Amino acid sequence: MNFREYLLLLLAMGAVTYIPRWLPLFALSQRKLPQWLIDWLGLIPVALLSALVAPTLFAAGEPRSLSFARPELLVAVPTFLFALKTRSLGGTALVGMLLYWLAGKYL
């Protein structure tokens, strides 16, 4: 590939990434959404994060099996409690990293 083809590829990838994000915002920005839809849309980040994190916390091995003694779960519980108490994203990240480091060192 020459420079021009790389540039066209980069622009095409940017357009493919940008347009699906921009289009719903453009189409819905002038409309008033019903409250049930706003509430439902608010649940999407929590559901996505749970779907990403839960397999790491609760499953181990190949094939995957349920495990409650994983270090990741032992670290996640106090980190979650810290997050609930302080509501601090930075503090929660620091506590989580510190606890994970300690778990890797002593467990």
Side-chain angles (χ1 to χ4, degrees), residues 25 27 83:
L25 289 175

Side-chain angles (χ1 to χ4, degrees), residues 25-97:
L25 289 175
F26 178 74
L28 298 175
S29 65
Q30 303 300 323
R31 296 180 183 187
K32 180 160 177 61
L33 299 176
Q35 188 60 38
W36 67 266
L37 183 59
I38 294 171
D39 293 342
W40 183 77
L41 289 172
L43 297 174
I44 290 176
V46 175
L48 287 174
L49 184 61
S50 298
L52 290 172
V53 170
T56 301
L57 295 179
F58 298 112
E62 196 62 43
R64 291 200 171 261
S65 62
L66 193 61
S67 173
F68 291 107
R70 296 180 47 83
E72 291 86 356
L73 182 60
L74 297 175
V75 169
V77 171
T79 303
F80 180 70
L81 294 174
F82 180 84
L84 282 178
K85 180 147 179 84
T86 64
R87 305 271 181 195
S88 167
L89 179 62
T92 302
L94 285 175
V95 166
M97 288 190 295

